[in-house]
Amino acid sequence: MAPKDKEKRGKDTLKNPKGTRDWSDQDSTLLNDIFHQIRTVLSRYSTQLDTPVFELADVLKGKYGEDSKLIYDLADQGGELLSLRYDLTVPFARWLAMHPEVREYKRFAIGKVYRRDQPAIAKGRMREFYQCDVDFAGSGASTMWDSKIVAIVVEVFEALEWQGHYTIKLNHRKILDGIFEVCGVPEDKIRAISSAVDKLDKSPWEKVRTEMVETKGLDEAVADKIRTYVVQRGEKWQGSKELLESLKKDEALQANAKAKQGIDEMEVILRILEVLGAHRDISFDLCLARGLDYYTGIIYEVVTEGSAPATVNGGDAQQVQAEGKSKKKKKELTEDDDRSDDPSVGVGSVAAGGRYDNLVERFLPGSDMQCVGVSFGVDRIFSITKARLAQGKKFSYVSSTATDVYIMAFGGKEFSGLSAERLLIEQMLARAGLKVEYSAKDKPKPQLQFKNSEKCGAKYAVILGEDEQARGEVRVKELGLPDGHPEKEGVLVKLENLVSEVTARMKGLEVTEKVKDLEVAK
Amino acid sequence: MAPKDKEKRGKDTLKNPKGTRDWSDQDSTLLNDIFHQIRTVLSRYSTQLDTPVFELADVLKGKYGEDSKLIYDLADQGGELLSLRYDLTVPFARWLAMHPEVREYKRFAIGKVYRRDQPAIAKGRMREFYQCDVDFAGSGASTMWDSKIVAIVVEVFEALEWQGHYTIKLNHRKILDGIFEVCGVPEDKIRAISSAVDKLDKSPWEKVRTEMVETKGLDEAVADKIRTYVVQRGEKWQGSKELLESLKKDEALQANAKAKQGIDEMEVILRILEVLGAHRDISFDLCLARGLDYYTGIIYEVVTEGSAPATVNGGDAQQVQAEGKSKKKKKELTEDDDRSDDPSVGVGSVAAGGRYDNLVERFLPGSDMQCVGVSFGVDRIFSITKARLAQGKKFSYVSSTATDVYIMAFGGKEFSGLSAERLLIEQMLARAGLKVEYSAKDKPKPQLQFKNSEKCGAKYAVILGEDEQARGEVRVKELGLPDGHPEKEGVLVKLENLVSEVTARMKGLEVTEKVKDLEVAK
């Protein structure tokens, strides 16, 4: 190939596919810290199920309504026709149907899913993104599990240290359907009207009403009656309980079988959440409807300051504050990243789910498996956490990516480079949990080593010399000490004491830094 | 859809795609335990890079020689032409080429890769399988890194507790190429002869010789001269050092520039491995050639008792023993699994890699990035570990999947079911790290709860009753105690002491079981 062609080809292919991203360095570390927190909680209550990234095309067919056009198909290269998974829920239903002997199953799943959508990176809409789901399936699944999934959501966001920064919006499909019946929505219009109601978190009532009346042919009086219900939001726990009480007193709803069942279930669910201490950030919200057709009971959605601005809900004070704050940081955040991590752009909900009792039956006619679950939008949780870190918020579970120790070797004219010895010291320190760097050159120049140690921000240098080596000693030097400091030139340490010496010094440094932090805070 | 059609469709789609598997229950837990061990080691020396599951088709094109036909393409649904990744190496090279400002990078990656091959499940050949790679890239990469990657391999298998059960076969492409030159192989035949030599671990010399002479047109005398070299295997450390010494004394090789450079590098690499204490399970093996074209320096391959039988190498005693042992277990192992985990079937190498200095340049002409790395075959490591577990071997890092506690609730006629309270106790115990089960029914029958607690093998029951509940107490009962045991009916515990009481009892039980194990061992 001529060099010119080579270059051209090189340029064309030097990218990752549209709507995907490579996770590297600090982003990758933070993502893994987040996964670790979520996994720790989910594995308390479920076991992991890992399904292939593709399914038989027929498994996905007809499961996503209009969104089926977003499914990635594999090329027909002979053999089975395959599609990339669109979510983790349908593969779980497929697995349950393949194992009819399993009568009860609690599983979590972590994996990438694929949607051939127009990517909108700033909104967190990618073609390949992580989902993390937990779902409980059983033949006699009850409100216990409805509550338990919500309690797990709370436990996850507590593990992520988001306390006070998120709201779990809660509603019940049976209550909603009951309301529609009571208001006089014809049965064949209920799903369409429900999905119009779902837009109330983004659109004002007038727009939604127009959709109901003009597009979907609903009677105006019926639409206005719906309004009296769906504007009711139970703000946090107190408001949620009050809303429940008012629904219990609503004679029209109590006379409707569906609504009554939904309200009764909601009462049990709220009581259980209170016993579990998982009730504080709940908001019972009658305008939450969720898009997917297959929900049959409780539904929920977790929103945070970084979620899409809620027009009808008025955008609460916290959110506005976050928007103001983050604007200053915007430039900084986007410089080394191709997606805007400004939390004010609104990435939508960070977790959502509900009860879906008929999905398994679609694979296995006659199955009575009922499911309830939640899906965490890990990419969005990542973006918001990263933005908060940039704003100075600390999370105890976030790993440091800073270099602790830089290993150097110096010598005279006949210097061997002490490569093996540097690697040995790296191995000792790395096994003790320290982040270590060194030059990969066989005989690195002193200047280069000092420059690199600065560049990676190492706190300590461990310096090898041939004379010290012969005596079984190395020099430990805190970097950045002022001239005249008694330990400016470092201290000699026996090799066998190196790990304990450095870790003790690192801890001392941490204490000093914390004291400094406190002093700055004062 | 008519019910009949529905059933038919249900049946057709009720499978996972050919050559893939679902990871569930104990398998999933064991796989994660293995990942955790590998990740712990790799993250000491590198950071994770996670690339998309698909790449632009052009990125993969022309990188895998004949195996390119095994690449999965995505359907052309408009937009970019995409293919599923075939390994984790080419995406890493693509990433390095996209980031020419990065002059040194150490990364690990964990992910599934895709090969449209004929699946041979018993041989561990799947269409979707996990790989776990660690690669170092730099412009001045030296023998330090060659050694370091091998030392990481040792550290990983030590973390997996495979000591004494594996061998790292080591060779050097420059030595091999030098040998071929010295023996008189024409330059244009070197790669073809090299790949014939690579078959010596599976085929006898006569067959390989026939391939060289008849298929590849090599002179008979040249083939016989090659034999004198490639049968040389340095058995373990002592043999490896002896082989190196004999090559250093081989005047013909010392006179060949390539061979000399390879031998000199090998000497440094072995010396560093000894300093790092990573030398014991090395076997310097001149017949190791590795199939891939792109290797340019050190190459290695890790084999274990479960790896493919080595015909020419004579099948060592350990392997034969494992084959004999595992035959008895075969039925047991395959019963609940669609793939044979019999370690004697030979799953090939469990890790392999080497130095490849020109791959990045193929994406970025003029790049001087040189790479060395290794890929762990995690599915195979899993199969062998699972088989060894079934043979009674213990691994300290393997999580128990046994249920610790089953929570029950009993009551009279007006019994509420104590659902919220059972969930609260589950939450308390699960957060303390215990595996907990309970009935998902609102008002479970006593019989059912006892039956389920037995079925899941719970060690303890925590029993709730309404009277005890009112007093803030629950009953803790060790299951399976003989009649007449003083604690047969369990003991009453205050709710606030429950976690400490159960964990203390669990620890006591562990101690008792260890004593029992020791007694059995005697």
Side-chain angles (χ1 to χ4, degrees):
Chain A
M1 200 184 309
K4 219 176 172 181
D5 287 330
K6 228 177 175 178
E7 251 179 72
K8 192 175 166 290
R9 199 185 70 177
K11 256 186 199 152
D12 285 338
T13 58
L14 267 189
K15 63 185 287 297
N16 44 331
K18 197 172 165 184
T20 70
R21 60 165 297 183
D22 298 317
W23 294 90
S24 67
D25 301 291
Q26 282 99 326
D27 281 0
S28 162
T29 306
L30 177 58
L31 181 70
N32 272 312
D33 289 336
I34 289 170
F35 275 134
H36 181 263
Q37 295 304 100
I38 299 180
R39 171 190 287 275
T40 300
V41 173
L42 301 190
S43 62
R44 286 175 188 151
Y45 306 109
S46 56
T47 60
Q48 188 165 5
L49 175 70
D50 178 39
T51 60
V53 84
F54 44 61
E55 293 280 344
L56 296 185
D58 278 345
V59 166
L60 305 191
K61 216 164 266 170
K63 304 298 184 302
Y64 302 103
E66 268 186 25
D67 285 348
S68 292
K69 67 179 186 296
L70 303 182
I71 292 174
Y72 276 99
D73 294 323
L74 269 76
D76 183 0
Q77 297 169 287
E80 298 166 339
L81 291 178
L82 305 171
S83 299
L84 295 187
R85 64 184 171 200
Y86 181 87
D87 62 17
L88 302 173
T89 313
V90 167
F92 178 46
R94 186 265 300 156
W95 186 89
L96 286 170
M98 271 174 71
H99 296 87
E101 75 286 1
V102 174
R103 302 306 301 145
E104 192 178 304
Y105 208 70
K106 302 182 226 176
R107 83 91 175 78
F108 73 94
I110 295 177
K112 286 173 173 174
V113 298
Y114 299 87
R115 300 186 185 178
R116 224 171 45 79
D117 207 345
Q118 194 52 38
I121 289 166
K123 286 184 183 162
R125 191 166 70 225
M126 303 290 282
R127 289 182 165 182
E128 178 191 60
F129 59 96
Y130 276 107
Q131 274 195 343
C132 181
D133 286 19
V134 57
D135 293 83
F136 288 8
S139 60
S142 68
T143 45
M144 267 179 93
W145 278 4
D146 293 335
S147 323
K148 182 65 206 174
I149 294 286
V150 177
I152 289 176
V153 171
V154 171
E155 203 164 326
V156 163
F157 284 105
E158 276 178 12
L160 293 171
E161 299 170 14
W162 280 33
Q163 288 92 327
H165 289 272
Y166 70 96
T167 299
I168 303 178
K169 297 203 272 179
L170 218 62
N171 200 5
H172 201 295
R173 271 280 168 90
K174 287 191 184 125
I175 302 180
L176 264 185
D177 289 356
I179 287 173
F180 296 140
E181 285 181 9
V182 164
C183 295
V185 179
E187 211 192 313
D188 62 343
K189 287 200 163 73
I190 282 188
R191 283 279 70 78
I193 296 306
S194 179
S195 82
V197 165
D198 197 50
K199 293 174 186 156
L200 279 173
D201 64 341
K202 290 184 199 95
S203 307
W205 167 254
E206 283 314 318
K207 215 175 150 191
V208 171
R209 185 181 186 277
T210 307
E211 181 183 331
M212 288 179 176
V213 175
E214 288 174 19
T215 318
K216 296 182 171 162
L218 194 68
D219 192 272
E220 291 200 11
V222 174
D224 292 332
K225 201 166 174 199
I226 290 174
R227 183 179 187 279
T228 64
Y229 283 106
V230 296
V231 294
Q232 296 186 49
R233 297 175 58 227
E235 187 70 58
K236 293 280 165 178
W237 177 239
Q238 196 53 40
S240 300
K241 279 202 302 185
E242 285 164 13
L243 176 53
L244 179 75
E245 287 310 314
S246 94
L247 296 182
K248 278 166 70 182
K249 284 179 201 137
D250 186 313
E251 284 173 20
L253 291 187
Q254 289 297 320
N256 177 284
K258 276 189 197 159
K260 185 171 175 356
Q261 196 193 339
I263 293 165
D264 288 351
E265 285 187 12
M266 199 56 131
E267 185 169 23
V268 177
I269 291 165
L270 292 184
R271 189 185 69 82
I272 297 180
L273 288 176
E274 192 175 15
V275 171
L276 296 180
H279 57 295
R280 287 177 203 90
D281 297 306
I282 300 295
S283 285
F284 180 11
D285 185 339
L286 284 181
C287 91
L288 176 73
R290 306 274 309 125
L292 283 171
D293 278 5
Y294 55 56
Y295 290 115
T296 53
I298 189 175
I299 45 179
Y300 30 78
E301 196 170 280
V302 181
V303 293
T304 180
E305 292 108 273
S307 298
T311 317
V312 131
N313 301 346
D316 62 25
Q318 232 172 18
Q319 180 171 331
V320 173
Q321 206 185 4
E323 281 176 28
K325 262 192 209 160
S326 55
K327 247 167 215 160
K328 283 175 246 159
K329 291 279 174 181
K330 194 167 181 179
K331 195 162 170 286
E332 217 173 300
L333 282 167
T334 48
E335 251 169 16
D336 61 347
D337 198 315
D338 67 341
R339 37 198 254 157
S340 164
D341 286 314
D342 182 347
S344 72
V345 294
V347 292
S349 62
V350 288
R355 172 170 285 273
Y356 51 102
D357 281 346
N358 309 321
L359 191 58
V360 180
E361 209 193 346
R362 295 187 57 184
F363 290 101
L364 189 70
S367 167
D368 60 350
M369 286 299 261
Q370 303 177 343
C371 303
V372 57
V374 65
S375 179
F376 295 90
V378 184
D379 292 55
R380 293 174 177 184
I381 291 171
F382 163 85
S383 296
I384 293 167
T385 306
K386 182 176 169 176
R388 288 191 189 147
L389 280 169
Q391 287 163 12
K393 167 106 180 87
K394 301 234 191 268
F395 297 94
S396 69
Y397 58 87
V398 172
S399 307
S400 162
T401 54
T403 304
D404 298 317
V405 177
Y406 193 93
I407 301 168
M408 306 179 181
F410 301 146
K413 226 177 173 181
E414 296 285 291
F415 180 47
S416 70
L418 293 169
S419 326
E421 292 71 18
R422 282 185 286 146
L423 285 176
L424 177 65
I425 286 172
E426 183 213 17
Q427 186 172 281
M428 290 163 63
L429 295 173
R431 287 182 184 175
L434 296 167
K435 293 260 165 225
V436 186
E437 290 290 342
Y438 59 89
S439 166
K441 300 218 181 302
D442 279 330
K443 298 180 190 182
K445 297 218 166 65
Q447 281 314 90
L448 176 86
Q449 297 180 79
F450 274 115
K451 211 182 98 191
N452 286 348
S453 72
E454 264 180 44
K455 222 164 80 181
C456 70
K459 297 175 198 81
Y460 285 91
V462 170
I463 304 168
L464 283 71
E466 275 169 337
D467 295 347
E468 292 87 347
Q469 183 64 26
R471 292 195 307 269
E473 291 180 336
V474 292
R475 192 173 287 277
V476 174
K477 180 172 150 52
E478 185 178 333
L479 293 167
L481 287 181
D483 285 338
H485 189 284
E487 291 194 355
K488 177 73 183 168
E489 294 309 310
V491 291
L492 280 172
V493 175
K494 283 270 168 207
L495 206 57
E496 59 266 34
N497 301 329
L498 178 65
V499 171
S500 55
E501 181 71 30
V502 174
T503 45
R505 280 171 178 263
M506 288 289 304
K507 268 187 201 150
L509 200 65
E510 263 173 44
V511 173
T512 320
E513 277 174 356
K514 272 191 189 147
V515 173
K516 272 189 207 154
D517 275 358
L518 283 174
E519 279 165 1
V520 169
K522 277 178 201 163
Chain B
M1 201 185 310
K4 221 177 173 180
D5 287 330
K6 227 179 179 177
E7 250 178 73
K8 191 174 168 287
R9 200 184 68 177
K11 257 188 200 152
D12 284 338
T13 59
L14 267 190
K15 63 186 289 295
N16 44 332
K18 197 173 166 184
T20 71
R21 61 165 297 181
D22 298 317
W23 294 90
S24 66
D25 301 290
Q26 282 100 323
D27 281 359
S28 163
T29 305
L30 177 58
L31 181 70
N32 273 312
D33 289 336
I34 289 170
F35 275 136
H36 181 261
Q37 294 305 99
I38 299 180
R39 171 190 288 276
T40 300
V41 174
L42 301 190
S43 62
R44 286 175 188 150
Y45 305 109
S46 57
T47 60
Q48 189 165 5
L49 176 69
D50 178 39
T51 60
V53 84
F54 44 61
E55 293 279 344
L56 296 185
D58 278 345
V59 166
L60 305 191
K61 215 165 265 172
K63 303 298 183 304
Y64 301 103
E66 268 187 24
D67 285 349
S68 292
K69 66 179 186 296
L70 303 182
I71 293 174
Y72 276 100
D73 293 324
L74 270 76
D76 183 359
Q77 296 169 288
E80 298 166 338
L81 291 178
L82 305 170
S83 299
L84 296 187
R85 64 184 170 200
Y86 181 87
D87 62 17
L88 301 172
T89 314
V90 167
F92 178 46
R94 187 265 301 158
W95 186 89
L96 285 170
M98 271 173 70
H99 296 87
E101 74 286 1
V102 174
R103 300 309 297 145
E104 193 177 303
Y105 208 70
K106 301 182 228 176
R107 83 91 176 78
F108 73 94
I110 295 178
K112 287 174 174 172
V113 298
Y114 299 87
R115 299 186 185 179
R116 224 171 45 79
D117 208 344
Q118 195 51 39
I121 289 166
K123 287 184 184 165
R125 193 166 69 224
M126 303 289 283
R127 289 182 165 180
E128 178 190 60
F129 59 97
Y130 276 107
Q131 274 194 344
C132 180
D133 286 20
V134 57
D135 293 83
F136 288 10
S139 60
S142 68
T143 44
M144 267 180 95
W145 278 3
D146 293 335
S147 325
K148 182 64 207 174
I149 295 286
V150 176
I152 289 176
V153 172
V154 171
E155 203 164 326
V156 163
F157 284 104
E158 276 178 14
L160 293 171
E161 299 171 14
W162 280 31
Q163 288 92 328
H165 289 271
Y166 70 96
T167 299
I168 304 179
K169 296 203 273 178
L170 218 63
N171 200 5
H172 200 296
R173 270 281 169 93
K174 286 190 184 125
I175 300 180
L176 263 185
D177 288 356
I179 287 173
F180 296 141
E181 285 181 9
V182 164
C183 296
V185 179
E187 211 190 314
D188 62 344
K189 287 202 163 73
I190 282 189
R191 282 279 68 80
I193 296 306
S194 179
S195 82
V197 165
D198 197 50
K199 291 173 187 157
L200 278 173
D201 63 341
K202 289 184 200 95
S203 306
W205 166 253
E206 284 314 318
K207 214 176 150 191
V208 171
R209 185 181 185 277
T210 307
E211 181 183 332
M212 288 179 175
V213 175
E214 288 174 19
T215 318
K216 295 180 172 163
L218 194 69
D219 192 90
E220 292 201 9
V222 174
D224 293 332
K225 202 165 173 197
I226 291 174
R227 182 179 188 278
T228 64
Y229 283 107
V230 296
V231 293
Q232 297 186 50
R233 297 175 59 227
E235 186 71 57
K236 293 280 166 177
W237 178 239
Q238 195 55 39
S240 300
K241 278 201 304 183
E242 285 164 11
L243 176 53
L244 179 74
E245 288 310 313
S246 95
L247 297 182
K248 278 167 70 182
K249 284 179 200 136
D250 186 316
E251 285 174 18
L253 291 186
Q254 289 296 318
N256 177 283
K258 276 188 197 159
K260 185 171 176 356
Q261 196 193 340
I263 293 166
D264 288 350
E265 285 187 12
M266 199 56 131
E267 185 169 23
V268 177
I269 291 166
L270 292 184
R271 188 184 70 81
I272 297 180
L273 289 176
E274 192 175 14
V275 170
L276 296 179
H279 57 297
R280 286 177 206 90
D281 297 305
I282 299 296
S283 285
F284 180 10
D285 185 339
L286 285 181
C287 90
L288 176 73
R290 305 274 310 126
L292 282 170
D293 277 5
Y294 56 56
Y295 290 116
T296 54
I298 189 174
I299 44 179
Y300 30 78
E301 198 170 280
V302 181
V303 292
T304 181
E305 292 109 274
S307 298
T311 316
V312 129
N313 300 347
D316 62 25
Q318 232 172 20
Q319 181 170 329
V320 173
Q321 207 187 0
E323 280 175 27
K325 261 193 210 159
S326 54
K327 247 167 215 159
K328 284 175 246 161
K329 290 279 176 183
K330 192 165 180 180
K331 194 160 171 286
E332 215 174 300
L333 281 166
T334 49
E335 252 169 16
D336 62 347
D337 198 316
D338 66 342
R339 35 198 255 158
S340 164
D341 286 315
D342 183 347
S344 73
V345 295
V347 293
S349 61
V350 289
R355 171 170 286 273
Y356 50 102
D357 281 346
N358 309 321
L359 191 58
V360 180
E361 209 192 346
R362 296 187 57 184
F363 291 102
L364 189 70
S367 167
D368 60 350
M369 286 299 260
Q370 302 177 345
C371 304
V372 58
V374 66
S375 179
F376 295 91
V378 184
D379 293 52
R380 293 174 176 184
I381 291 172
F382 163 85
S383 296
I384 292 167
T385 307
K386 182 176 168 178
R388 288 192 188 148
L389 280 169
Q391 288 164 12
K393 167 107 180 86
K394 302 233 192 268
F395 297 95
S396 69
Y397 57 86
V398 172
S399 307
S400 162
T401 53
T403 305
D404 298 316
V405 177
Y406 194 93
I407 301 168
M408 307 179 181
F410 301 145
K413 226 176 171 182
E414 296 285 291
F415 181 48
S416 72
L418 294 169
S419 327
E421 292 71 17
R422 282 184 288 145
L423 285 176
L424 177 64
I425 285 171
E426 183 213 16
Q427 185 171 282
M428 290 162 65
L429 295 173
R431 287 182 184 176
L434 296 168
K435 293 261 164 225
V436 187
E437 291 290 341
Y438 58 91
S439 165
K441 300 218 181 302
D442 279 330
K443 297 180 190 182
K445 297 221 165 64
Q447 282 314 89
L448 175 85
Q449 297 180 79
F450 274 115
K451 210 183 99 192
N452 286 348
S453 72
E454 264 180 44
K455 221 165 81 182
C456 70
K459 298 177 196 78
Y460 286 90
V462 170
I463 303 168
L464 283 72
E466 276 169 338
D467 295 348
E468 291 87 348
Q469 182 63 29
R471 293 195 306 268
E473 291 180 337
V474 292
R475 191 173 288 276
V476 174
K477 181 172 148 52
E478 186 176 334
L479 293 167
L481 287 181
D483 286 337
H485 188 285
E487 292 194 354
K488 177 74 183 168
E489 295 309 311
V491 291
L492 281 171
V493 176
K494 283 270 168 207
L495 206 57
E496 59 266 34
N497 301 330
L498 178 67
V499 171
S500 55
E501 181 70 29
V502 175
T503 45
R505 280 171 178 264
M506 288 290 304
K507 268 186 200 150
L509 200 64
E510 264 174 43
V511 173
T512 319
E513 277 173 355
K514 272 190 187 146
V515 172
K516 272 189 209 154
D517 275 358
L518 282 175
E519 279 164 3
V520 169
K522 277 180 203 163

